Amino acid sequence: MTLSEEDYIKIIYHLGKGDQGTVSTNAIAEKMETKPSSVSDMIKKLSEKGLVNYKKYQGVTLSEYGLKVALSIVRKHRLWEVFLVEKLEFSWDEVHEVAEQLEHIKSEKLIDMLDKHLGFPQIDPHGDPIPSKSGEFKKSIKRLLNEVPIGKEGICVGVKDSSPPFLKFLDKNKIALGDSIFVVDKEEFDGSLHIKIRDVDIRISDQIASNLYLRIIE
Amino acid sequence: MTLSEEDYIKIIYHLGKGDQGTVSTNAIAEKMETKPSSVSDMIKKLSEKGLVNYKKYQGVTLSEYGLKVALSIVRKHRLWEVFLVEKLEFSWDEVHEVAEQLEHIKSEKLIDMLDKHLGFPQIDPHGDPIPSKSGEFKKSIKRLLNEVPIGKEGICVGVKDSSPPFLKFLDKNKIALGDSIFVVDKEEFDGSLHIKIRDVDIRISDQIASNLYLRIIE
DNA sequence: ACAAATTTTTAGATTTGCCTAAATTTTATT
DNA sequence: AATAAAATTTAGGCAAATCTAAAAATTTGT
Ligand SMILES: [Mn+2]
Ligand SMILES: [Mn+2]
Ligand SMILES: [Mn+2]
Ligand SMILES: [Mn+2]
């Protein structure tokens, strides 16, 4: 498969949102930053290769084979993202462009050994799950920190309240996007949380916890 | 620059053998596993881009700019080779194909941080020197182990005597291609050597040392 | 229901990198 | 020096991936 075919397959996968509903030509064109006419051409080719199911004017879905290919590319993309952050000190918002290139390197051994080198990670720096070699993975969901069950871990992916005082508070307490947060315990009385972040235990109020989004697995 | 252009530039560099003598169309075609007519096309394009000096029928040499580009690709190739061997447990002879792909990834930060992650290595797994970011590097030479000065280190790259008894000896003493060997001392009396290999000190006779090739720097 | 708007596909070009076959230039041999 | 051989370039084409403009199908709105 060519680099371009791989990018199309991956985009069709993401637009299919897991449930693999049909994806429109225009939607693909926008994500690929190309014209709908180019997408039509490519879809025809992918269809001939058995990667997508396609009926003219009716949109596309990934075939079983196409889904397998998509998951292997997603796996590579996310493993490389972990590598960049964990081993090369990239920050979570710098990795995408480079992973977009690295995901196309062809070598089964490379990706197996990279997985091992990284300690078989389950999630990438954005909290998204990494498919296994055989294509299995758990879904991830975005939850407010105060709704995350005790004992769960997640990646901080956003804020609900983006006011300067709140952001300043996060800064002061060294809580940043991309940080991994583990919910140790919850105080029934006032809803305050005991969390572990970067191996440090801290307590935060319900007010804080209800304004921070975490991406968690399952 | 495209992937193909980069491969041409690198091949022209290697065929120029450091001194950057002129390189023939046929030689490039053979290395690129393509036809001479395709090479002519590409040379014309590289010439227009100022990467090579070219007069019809007279072969090509790299321009100053072309040399800089070549060295940056060689740098990337060799750093990735070190990564594959040191971090991902690839062996000596498995790295080339993958490095051939990885060398084309575009990200200055990536290669700077990779260099750091690897501890700023000076040579690749084949004993070849790794150019610095600014393009400087030491030449490497192939020497019989018994001609390597005391205090020098090199990579085992070949044997002079390839008879089964000799190869069996190397095997038994766990000396393999790709191993790094440090010459600790030399016995004047019989020419025997005291070497360090994989952190183990051993003694070998002059007869052994005069049949093993090392690639050393400077 | 049917015209208008939108989406999608087709037609015809362009660019990159490659090919074969033929022409040209250089190099080697008598 | 003339001819044969080898190397190199040109000419003309092809496949992949893209584009613009135009045609066709679908969806939307009244
Ligand atoms: Mn990509
Ligand atoms: Mn990610
Ligand atoms: Mn390459
Ligand atoms: Mn090498």
Side-chain angles (χ1 to χ4, degrees):
Chain A
M1 289 193 64
T2 69
L3 187 147
S4 195
E5 287 171 349
E6 290 188 348
D7 278 341
Y8 272 96
I9 290 295
K10 201 182 56 166
I11 280 173
I12 292 169
Y13 169 76
H14 284 308
L15 289 172
K17 302 232 188 207
D19 59 349
Q20 297 314 301
T22 80
V23 177
S24 80
T25 303
N26 268 359
I28 299 170
E30 195 172 322
K31 286 276 181 194
M32 281 292 295
E33 296 182 71
T34 184
K35 303 290 166 180
S37 55
S38 307
V39 175
S40 282
D41 282 351
M42 180 57 90
I43 285 173
K44 221 173 293 170
K45 189 165 52 146
L46 295 176
S47 174
E48 278 158 19
K49 290 195 176 188
L51 288 153
V52 299
N53 310 117
Y54 171 55
K55 260 187 259 151
K56 271 189 197 173
Y57 294 99
Q58 307 302 306
V60 285
T61 57
L62 287 180
S63 70
E64 205 175 317
Y65 170 46
L67 179 61
K68 212 172 236 173
V69 169
L71 287 171
S72 107
I73 301 166
V74 168
R75 170 174 161 79
K76 286 186 261 181
H77 185 102
R78 292 183 180 163
L79 282 173
W80 280 116
E81 284 188 344
V82 173
F83 170 73
L84 294 171
V85 167
E86 295 288 312
K87 304 291 185 182
L88 300 196
E89 305 172 42
F90 275 60
S91 72
W92 88 316
D93 54 342
E94 291 175 313
V95 297
H96 193 79
E97 189 195 351
V98 184
E100 199 59 46
Q101 300 176 59
L102 285 163
E103 70 191 357
H104 303 290
I105 303 292
K106 269 138 196 91
S107 164
E108 198 176 326
K109 176 161 187 177
L110 174 63
I111 216 66
D112 288 347
M113 296 310 280
L114 182 65
D115 196 15
K116 186 178 174 191
H117 181 53
L118 299 172
F120 307 105
Q122 297 295 302
I123 55 172
D124 83 357
H126 309 104
D128 295 312
I130 298 172
S132 73
K133 203 177 170 181
S134 52
E136 293 129 34
F137 67 101
K138 301 189 173 136
K139 290 249 166 62
S140 78
I141 45 173
K142 202 167 130 185
R143 279 267 184 90
L144 282 169
L145 175 50
N146 66 341
E147 291 163 353
V148 174
I150 292 169
K152 276 264 167 196
E153 185 167 17
I155 305 282
C156 182
V157 294
V159 292
K160 191 172 169 190
D161 172 5
S162 59
S163 67
F166 183 56
L167 297 179
K168 204 166 281 177
F169 169 87
L170 294 178
D171 213 45
K172 209 173 75 184
N173 287 273
K174 302 217 187 299
I175 299 173
L177 290 185
D179 285 346
S180 178
I181 294 178
F182 178 78
V183 179
V184 180
D185 204 3
K186 186 176 215 158
E187 180 57 62
E188 282 301 330
F189 179 63
D190 62 355
S192 72
L193 285 184
H194 173 190
I195 63 172
K196 189 165 211 154
I197 176 169
R198 293 207 209 102
D199 285 324
V200 182
D201 285 81
I202 61 174
R203 286 196 165 277
I204 58 173
S205 69
D206 179 61
Q207 209 194 332
I208 303 294
S210 60
N211 279 298
L212 257 183
Y213 283 112
L214 250 55
R215 184 163 286 280
I216 61 174
I217 291 295
E218 265 188 347
Chain B
M1 288 194 64
T2 68
L3 187 149
S4 195
E5 286 172 349
E6 289 187 350
D7 278 341
Y8 271 95
I9 290 296
K10 200 182 59 167
I11 279 172
I12 293 168
Y13 169 77
H14 284 309
L15 289 171
K17 303 229 193 215
D19 60 349
Q20 296 313 304
T22 80
V23 176
S24 80
T25 302
N26 268 358
I28 298 169
E30 196 171 322
K31 287 275 180 193
M32 281 293 293
E33 298 183 69
T34 184
K35 302 291 167 181
S37 54
S38 306
V39 175
S40 281
D41 282 350
M42 181 57 90
I43 285 172
K44 220 173 293 170
K45 188 166 53 146
L46 295 176
S47 174
E48 276 157 21
K49 288 196 178 188
L51 288 154
V52 299
N53 311 115
Y54 171 56
K55 259 185 261 154
K56 269 186 197 174
Y57 294 101
Q58 307 302 306
V60 286
T61 57
L62 288 179
S63 70
E64 204 175 317
Y65 169 46
L67 180 61
K68 211 171 237 174
V69 170
L71 287 171
S72 106
I73 302 166
V74 168
R75 170 175 161 79
K76 286 185 260 182
H77 184 103
R78 292 182 180 163
L79 282 172
W80 280 116
E81 284 188 344
V82 173
F83 170 73
L84 293 171
V85 167
E86 297 287 313
K87 303 291 185 183
L88 300 196
E89 306 171 43
F90 274 59
S91 75
W92 205 64
D93 51 344
E94 292 175 312
V95 296
H96 193 77
E97 190 195 349
V98 184
E100 199 60 45
Q101 299 176 61
L102 286 163
E103 70 191 356
H104 303 290
I105 303 292
K106 271 141 195 87
S107 164
E108 197 174 326
K109 176 162 187 177
L110 173 63
I111 217 64
D112 289 348
M113 295 311 279
L114 182 65
D115 196 15
K116 186 178 174 192
H117 181 53
L118 299 171
F120 307 105
Q122 297 296 301
I123 55 172
D124 83 358
H126 310 104
D128 294 312
I130 298 172
S132 73
K133 201 175 171 182
S134 52
E136 293 129 34
F137 68 101
K138 299 188 174 139
K139 289 250 166 61
S140 76
I141 45 172
K142 202 167 129 184
R143 278 269 184 90
L144 281 169
L145 176 49
N146 66 342
E147 290 163 354
V148 174
I150 293 169
K152 274 265 168 197
E153 184 167 17
I155 305 282
C156 182
V157 294
V159 292
K160 191 173 169 187
D161 172 5
S162 60
S163 68
F166 183 55
L167 297 180
K168 202 166 284 178
F169 169 88
L170 294 179
D171 213 45
K172 208 173 75 184
N173 287 272
K174 303 213 186 298
I175 299 174
L177 292 187
D179 285 346
S180 178
I181 295 177
F182 179 78
V183 179
V184 180
D185 203 5
K186 185 177 217 159
E187 179 57 61
E188 282 302 329
F189 179 65
D190 62 356
S192 71
L193 284 185
H194 173 190
I195 63 173
K196 188 165 211 151
I197 177 169
R198 293 208 211 101
D199 284 323
V200 182
D201 285 81
I202 61 173
R203 287 197 165 278
I204 59 173
S205 69
D206 179 60
Q207 209 193 330
I208 305 294
S210 60
N211 279 298
L212 257 184
Y213 283 112
L214 251 56
R215 183 163 288 281
I216 62 175
I217 292 294
E218 266 189 346

